[in-house]
Amino acid sequence: MGEYQIEMRNMYKSFGGVKAVQDVSLYVKPGEIHALVGENGAGKSTLIRLLSGALTPDSGEIYVKGVKASICEPKDGISYGISVIYQEFALIPDISVAENIFIDEFRSKHAVINWGSLRKRASAFLEDVGFGNISPSALVANLSTAYQQVIEICKALSRNASILVLDEPTAVLTSKEVEQLFSLLNQLRDKGVSIIYISHRLEEIFRMSDRITVMKDGRYVGTVETAEIDEQRLVNMMIGRDLEDYFPQRAANIGRIVMRAEHLKAGRQVKDISFDVHEGEVMGLSGLVGSGRTEAIRAMLGIDRLDGGRITLGNAEVKLKSPRQAFSMGIGMLPEDRKTEGVVLTLPIKYNITLSCIKSFCNAIGVLRLKEEDKFTLDFARKVSLRGAASLMDPVNTLSGGNQQKVAIARLLASGCKIMILDEPTRGVDVGAKIEIFHLINEMVAQNYAVVIVSSEMAEVIGMCDRAVIIREGVSVGVLEKDALTEQNIIQYSMGVTADVQ
């Protein structure tokens, strides 16, 4: 075998008139973690689909262990030892762990399954990757997201995978689960498995990868040794602008209190949470994963049951029974899970944007004023710098993650709501799209919107918020004003060590 386990040479792929991948090459060594980075829409996903066989290239060649490979469909990729683990896992939730790991063995009509042997082999795989505590008999539906990811990796290893591709593997994991995953990936690297690691989280890229390949606008930018580059230079390669522009500056003009939540209680995770938000302000809700931030917001808006507490809008106490009622009172929410709650993936972009205000385009007898709706939609698509669509009638699921998030934000802006609650607004979004979303948030507060950001990223809270309420184990334990918003202070409040907070 030569120097590389996988070689993708001069790959091209177009969809109609859109050139998704143009003359891109990728070389991955045995036993290395190779990061693949770039903005949403840079062509990373297309390149990986070409490698797996989910797409066929217009031109270009793939070599596996020095031998030219013919990969025309996913089963070809699997036969060459290539396994891709996407953000949406390809598991069957209502069957066992063992059955999912060895799912290929059920495809033969003449297969006779020795269930005891199957569970024993599954247990051996789980032990080998350091997760022997997972029962091979457990239903996958009952496992945490992190454990489901482990099952995907074991399934890949059962196929003798030597090339493992991970697409945003930590997007929905807790910090403890991330550490478990990193330990597993290091084990696999030590065993000679080549790992292609796709992530927008720069700290993970610098911690885990050996080398980094950068793509931009469907083209190859360069490959660098991780140890020989810093964040500033990597961001410049990815987006062509400086890291100092990451959090755009804003002159805060904070006004009156427009919403107040007092002593919220809901289920086991929300015990006593209070906060208020002013117009013209970005207020953060921060704390460790599982602290109760999102659960408090969901209960407040009537998505989940609110067991106790008081909510005030202006000077009036309200009881919000549903998101629809909250929406009618001027409170809009960007959910944490955009794919299932933020947008309707199969609907056109246009209808997603006007979903919240469609009645305003109807005449007296209910007929849509189409030209007015078209102009309105185009204006908001431009306002959020929407990219990647040939037409606003394209389904949202044809867009990159960052542009899907922009559609969700455009829908909120189009609604006319003046209180915006943004739950993890930049999760799974590339650096360039993050900056654009931060600019949109600044524009909102400049127009006297009140914005609440719920975020697990401390840098985001510090860089964007005028003030943050810190939540620990279901209780709001402190408020940090802008000049006290530091990583140290947030961590100390989040972990219950507040004696030295300044």
Side-chain angles (χ1 to χ4, degrees):
M1 186 175 73
E3 181 183 0
Y4 300 106
Q5 186 133 257
I6 193 80
E7 301 171 58
M8 302 183 75
R9 302 178 183 175
N10 311 111
M11 306 301 291
Y12 285 84
K13 183 64 182 179
S14 296
F15 300 98
V18 179
K19 296 177 180 178
V21 169
Q22 304 178 66
D23 194 22
V24 174
S25 297
L26 177 67
Y27 298 88
V28 183
K29 298 176 182 179
E32 81 163 338
I33 297 180
H34 192 115
L36 180 61
V37 303
E39 298 183 71
N40 285 117
K44 305 184 300 293
S45 295
T46 301
L47 187 69
I48 292 310
R49 284 178 166 80
L50 294 174
L51 175 63
S52 70
L55 293 173
T56 304
D58 299 332
S59 64
E61 296 176 327
I62 298 175
Y63 288 77
V64 179
K65 299 177 182 176
V67 178
K68 187 174 179 180
S70 176
I71 302 176
C72 302
E73 53 184 324
K75 70 177 185 180
D76 297 332
I78 291 170
S79 71
Y80 282 102
I82 300 166
S83 280
V84 181
I85 299 176
Y86 297 102
Q87 292 183 58
E88 292 79 24
F89 302 145
L91 298 173
I92 302 174
D94 297 324
I95 64 175
S96 72
V97 166
E99 289 169 286
N100 270 280
I101 291 174
F102 298 107
I103 192 69
D104 294 345
E105 297 186 16
F106 293 85
R107 302 189 192 281
S108 171
K109 293 180 180 179
H110 306 292
V112 177
I113 305 300
N114 182 326
W115 293 102
S117 173
L118 193 79
R119 286 189 286 270
K120 187 174 181 180
R121 288 159 56 207
S123 183
F125 268 106
L126 292 163
E127 286 282 357
D128 193 47
V129 299
F131 286 83
N133 58 315
I134 301 176
S135 169
S137 302
L139 286 183
V140 163
N142 296 333
L143 299 181
S144 68
T145 303
Y147 281 7
Q148 289 183 23
Q149 193 165 61
V150 170
I151 304 312
E152 280 278 29
I153 292 172
C154 286
K155 183 171 72 174
L157 296 177
S158 78
R159 294 167 168 172
N160 297 314
S162 56
I163 300 123
L164 189 63
V165 183
L166 297 168
D167 186 6
E168 294 290 347
T170 65
V172 292
L173 303 187
T174 66
S175 56
K176 181 179 178 181
E177 291 168 340
V178 168
E179 292 303 319
Q180 289 178 296
L181 174 66
F182 287 172
S183 177
L184 172 54
L185 296 184
N186 283 327
Q187 287 181 49
L188 295 175
R189 170 168 55 186
D190 292 343
K191 293 177 180 178
V193 176
S194 298
I195 298 168
I196 300 174
Y197 192 95
I198 302 172
S199 178
H200 296 308
R201 297 183 174 182
L202 296 186
E203 67 276 12
E204 293 180 7
I205 297 298
F206 281 94
R207 176 178 171 183
M208 292 299 295
S209 69
D210 301 295
R211 292 190 302 145
I212 306 169
T213 289
V214 181
M215 292 181 65
K216 179 175 173 60
D217 298 330
R219 295 181 179 274
Y220 173 81
V221 176
T223 299
V224 294
E225 298 284 339
T226 307
E228 296 176 1
I229 194 170
D230 57 22
E231 282 195 11
Q232 177 74 68
R233 287 173 55 211
L234 184 60
V235 169
N236 284 342
M237 286 179 73
M238 290 167 62
I239 63 173
R241 68 186 85 171
D242 290 337
L243 192 61
E244 63 192 25
D245 298 328
Y246 199 65
F247 296 108
Q249 295 299 307
R250 164 173 48 85
N253 184 20
I254 298 172
R256 63 188 178 93
I257 294 175
V258 292
M259 181 177 72
R260 176 177 279 128
E262 298 174 273
H263 307 295
L264 300 183
K265 295 178 178 62
R268 294 180 178 180
Q269 287 188 278
V270 182
K271 300 171 184 175
D272 186 2
I273 292 177
S274 300
F275 61 87
D276 56 45
V277 59
H278 300 241
E279 65 182 15
E281 173 188 46
V282 180
M283 195 279 289
L285 289 183
S286 185
L288 302 176
V289 172
S291 61
R293 301 163 309 181
T294 294
E295 291 78 10
I297 293 297
R298 289 176 61 89
M300 185 184 77
L301 298 182
I303 301 170
D304 298 329
R305 177 179 171 178
L306 181 65
D307 296 326
R310 184 168 181 258
I311 302 161
T312 307
L313 289 179
N315 296 316
E317 183 176 350
V318 296
K319 294 187 183 298
L320 302 174
K321 300 295 185 183
S322 68
R324 182 188 294 271
Q325 182 189 3
F327 188 80
S328 70
M329 293 182 174
I331 307 171
M333 181 181 181
L334 184 74
E336 180 180 12
D337 187 348
R338 65 171 172 266
K339 289 183 181 295
T340 60
E341 299 176 347
V343 293
V344 184
L345 289 170
T346 55
L347 274 185
I349 297 163
K350 171 183 172 180
Y351 299 154
N352 268 276
I353 292 175
T354 59
L355 201 59
S356 58
C357 56
I358 192 66
K359 290 182 180 179
S360 64
F361 301 105
C362 295
N363 63 18
I365 59 172
V367 177
L368 277 172
R369 298 188 294 273
L370 293 175
K371 288 186 178 179
E372 186 178 329
E373 183 191 18
D374 287 343
K375 183 180 182 303
F376 179 89
T377 308
L378 185 60
D379 286 345
F380 275 93
R382 287 172 175 163
K383 188 170 187 175
V384 298
S385 303
L386 187 66
R387 298 185 181 90
S391 163
L392 292 180
M393 291 305 292
D394 288 350
V396 171
N397 59 14
T398 62
L399 299 175
S400 65
N403 282 300
Q404 289 179 16
Q405 191 77 318
K406 290 178 186 178
V407 171
I409 292 172
R411 177 180 60 80
L412 273 186
L413 291 172
S415 71
C417 290
K418 297 294 283 186
I419 300 172
M420 298 292 196
I421 300 175
L422 311 179
D423 194 356
E424 301 289 357
T426 64
R427 173 170 285 171
V429 170
D430 68 79
V431 176
K434 279 185 178 183
I435 293 171
E436 291 174 337
I437 289 171
F438 294 151
H439 276 289
L440 283 170
I441 292 170
N442 281 355
E443 288 174 17
M444 289 182 203
V445 293
Q447 297 169 33
N448 286 327
Y449 286 78
V451 177
V452 178
I453 291 181
V454 183
S455 179
S456 55
E457 294 192 28
M458 280 188 285
E460 191 165 281
V461 173
I462 294 165
M464 287 301 297
C465 296
D466 300 302
R467 184 170 56 98
V469 173
I470 314 302
I471 298 173
R472 178 175 179 266
E473 296 179 356
V475 178
S476 47
V477 293
V479 180
L480 294 172
E481 300 295 337
K482 185 68 175 179
D483 58 359
L485 264 180
T486 65
E487 187 170 334
Q488 179 182 356
N489 286 349
I490 292 174
I491 290 173
Q492 288 186 191
Y493 265 119
S494 299
M495 299 184 72
V497 185
T498 57
D500 298 324
V501 172
Q502 299 178 5

